[in-house]
Amino acid sequence: MSSLGLSLLLLVALAVGVALAYNLRQAWPRWRYPQAVRWLKMRRERPGAGAQAGSVAPQSRRTPSAAGRSAPDDTGAARGEPRLGATPVVDDGGPAPGSPEALQASRTAARPTIRSTHGAIAPATKAAAPEDAGAPESAATAPFAQPAASPSPGASAAPTTVAAAAPAGIAQPRLSEICDCIVEISPAEPFGGERLTAIAQRFRRAGGKPIIVEGQAADAAPGDWSVPDAARQYAALRVGILLANRHGPLNAMEFSEFATGLQAIAESLAALADTPDMSTVLARARDLDATCAQLDAQISLNVDAPEAVSPAQLAALAGVLSIAERGSNRYARLGPQGELVFSVALSDLPNRFTFLLDVPRSSPQLQPWTQMLATARACAQQVGGELVDDGGRVLAEAALAQIGRQLVQRYESLEAIGLPAGSALALRVFN
């Protein structure tokens, strides 16, 4: 027999021996203490044998105990889902669930859905996809006339007195200390604008954060920064990375990529780049992200038609509602400079149109809430439908008016932190 055969035979014998030893070890207690094994088996089979004084029998997760069903919450109040400006819901002995009074109360308590979107981009409807910040609109998306619908009582409270920056849907984004980490580089000799343009085209992003490059022309005053122009000579440049957007705050990996790119630019220009301390920059980014998360919101209205609607029907309504097609069966109302006012799309439900207002990205000067509400009412009139919330409940005038008042406060808060709704900076941060 060969050595290979002997090795295989030894391995088989070893495996059999290990299995035999394991079985003997498992059987040893039964052979040595047969009475104890039988007593343990009888104790397990005896009803209630495992219950001790003061012990609690385990409860099934599907069938809670009667005490658990009848005992009130420790807080003494029922819990409700948080919503902007809503009053906590408490059990005050109102109508029983399912009664006609309860159904009527649920219909009158309906309100437009307000979604917080900062930190995670998860559009709730097909219309929720945000438009690109600062992207110019094509000639096909020129402004349209508004529908001839009179403002409703709910729309009368829409923000009309809030001062904001001029519509900047197509304005060139500029760097700002409010939302950017900015580093200046000053070479010893002036350099050509084509070189600065090439730098700006190559160095555009670090991770999920956009980067902007600006130059100070050789014949310009100190601090006069502008967009790179290939025909000019420049004495200095500055590079900035966005501290936060809807993807979250600037992180360490993105900052490291930004710092590496800065050093490469400085070396190419025979200059030095004074990169700031990473911990300080990341702390600023987290603070900005936390502030913007409290002010970021999207408001949706729905129109439920009696029957299923198709993309062709929405396209036919576009002219009546004065909305422009944006591709993929999405439509939008546009401002005088092509900026987004609100968007319209078909919902996941077959008979529903969804209107979406991205609050920080729409200038209050355009009265986006008033326009969206009037357009939604016109749509409901055209299709014979109803204005409802995401749960299919008819929206009450009081809820619509309350949203209008809350929007005034939201716009004022955005302007107070230096990010007026619809401005170029707001379009960069809330993107």
Side-chain angles (χ1 to χ4, degrees), residues 89-117:
V89 180
V90 292
D91 187 5
D92 56 355
S99 64
E101 294 80 5
L103 293 177
Q104 179 64 24
S106 67
R107 291 172 67 88
T108 57
R111 60 173 55 222
T113 302
I114 302 180
R115 304 182 181 90
S116 178
T117 61

Side-chain angles (χ1 to χ4, degrees), residues 55-273:
S55 64
V56 180
Q59 295 290 337
S60 170
R61 294 187 180 183
R62 295 180 178 270
T63 56
S65 63
R69 290 192 296 267
S70 60
D73 192 3
D74 293 339
T75 61
R79 296 183 181 179
E81 290 297 329
R83 57 173 76 163
L84 182 62
T87 331
V89 180
V90 292
D91 187 5
D92 56 355
S99 64
E101 294 80 5
L103 293 177
Q104 179 64 24
S106 67
R107 291 172 67 88
T108 57
R111 60 173 55 222
T113 302
I114 302 180
R115 304 182 181 90
S116 178
T117 61
H118 202 83
I121 304 179
T125 66
K126 296 178 182 178
E131 305 297 330
D132 294 336
E137 308 299 336
S138 62
T141 58
F144 291 84
Q146 297 184 18
S150 58
S152 63
S156 61
T160 58
T161 60
V162 180
I170 58 175
Q172 173 68 30
R174 298 294 299 273
L175 293 174
S176 171
E177 293 289 348
I178 296 175
C179 57
D180 294 293
C181 170
I182 305 173
V183 177
E184 297 184 11
I185 301 176
S186 299
E189 300 291 337
F191 57 96
E194 68 282 352
R195 195 169 184 181
L196 183 59
T197 303
I199 291 173
Q201 291 176 348
R202 290 197 306 266
F203 198 28
R204 302 180 63 178
R205 300 191 72 85
K209 302 298 181 293
I211 294 173
I212 292 179
V213 178
E214 294 180 340
Q216 178 182 302
D219 56 352
D224 185 9
W225 302 97
S226 59
V227 178
D229 184 355
R232 305 185 69 179
Q233 289 289 110
Y234 289 91
L237 75 153
R238 65 176 187 173
V239 186
I241 185 170
L242 192 64
L243 291 174
N245 55 14
R246 282 176 172 169
H247 293 278
L250 181 73
N251 58 45
M253 184 175 298
E254 292 169 336
F255 180 82
S256 299
E257 185 178 346
F258 174 66
T260 302
L262 285 176
Q263 295 301 327
I265 293 173
E267 291 176 3
S268 68
L269 297 173
L272 296 177

Side-chain angles (χ1 to χ4, degrees), residues 301-305 351-355 376 379-380 383 385-388:
L301 296 173
N302 303 295
V303 173
D304 278 0
N351 65 325
R352 176 171 292 181
F353 302 93
T354 297
F355 295 74
C379 177
V383 301
E386 292 181 313
L387 201 62
V388 300

Side-chain angles (χ1 to χ4, degrees), residues 30-48:
R30 293 196 295 272
W31 293 348
R32 188 172 181 179
Y33 307 106
Q35 298 296 331
V37 173
R38 285 196 296 273
W39 177 84
L40 180 61
K41 181 178 180 182
M42 292 172 60
R43 187 170 181 228
R44 288 177 179 172
E45 293 176 352
R46 189 164 60 247

Side-chain angles (χ1 to χ4, degrees), residues 187-396:
E189 300 291 337
F191 57 96
E194 68 282 352
R195 195 169 184 181
L196 183 59
T197 303
I199 291 173
Q201 291 176 348
R202 290 197 306 266
F203 198 28
R204 302 180 63 178
R205 300 191 72 85
K209 302 298 181 293
I211 294 173
I212 292 179
V213 178
E214 294 180 340
Q216 178 182 302
D219 56 352
D224 185 9
W225 302 97
S226 59
V227 178
D229 184 355
R232 305 185 69 179
Q233 289 289 110
Y234 289 91
L237 75 153
R238 65 176 187 173
V239 186
I241 185 170
L242 192 64
L243 291 174
N245 55 14
R246 282 176 172 169
H247 293 278
L250 181 73
N251 58 45
M253 184 175 298
E254 292 169 336
F255 180 82
S256 299
E257 185 178 346
F258 174 66
T260 302
L262 285 176
Q263 295 301 327
I265 293 173
E267 291 176 3
S268 68
L269 297 173
L272 296 177
D274 187 11
T275 306
D277 179 63
M278 181 172 69
S279 60
T280 304
V281 175
L282 297 187
R284 285 181 57 203
R286 289 191 295 270
D287 290 343
L288 177 63
D289 181 70
T291 302
C292 292
Q294 296 176 358
L295 301 177
D296 196 1
Q298 293 178 341
I299 303 177
S300 66
L301 296 173
N302 303 295
V303 173
D304 278 0
E307 300 177 352
V309 292
S310 64
Q313 289 175 283
L314 178 57
L317 286 171
V320 179
L321 302 180
S322 300
I323 53 178
E325 186 177 5
R326 309 281 284 179
S328 302
N329 295 321
R330 295 187 302 118
Y331 293 78
R333 169 72 54 77
L334 304 175
Q337 299 184 20
E339 63 270 35
L340 179 69
V341 180
F342 63 86
S343 57
V344 187
L346 295 177
S347 174
D348 293 333
L349 298 180
N351 65 325
R352 176 171 292 181
F353 302 93
T354 297
F355 295 74
L356 187 73
L357 169 58
D358 199 338
V359 176
R361 297 179 63 83
S362 299
S363 171
Q365 287 188 341
L366 301 175
Q367 301 183 7
W369 172 246
T370 302
Q371 291 197 47
M372 186 174 79
L373 185 54
T375 308
R377 292 188 185 281
C379 177
Q381 184 178 6
Q382 289 289 328
V383 301
E386 292 181 313
L387 201 62
V388 300
D389 64 3
D390 284 355
R393 296 170 296 185
V394 177
L395 291 168

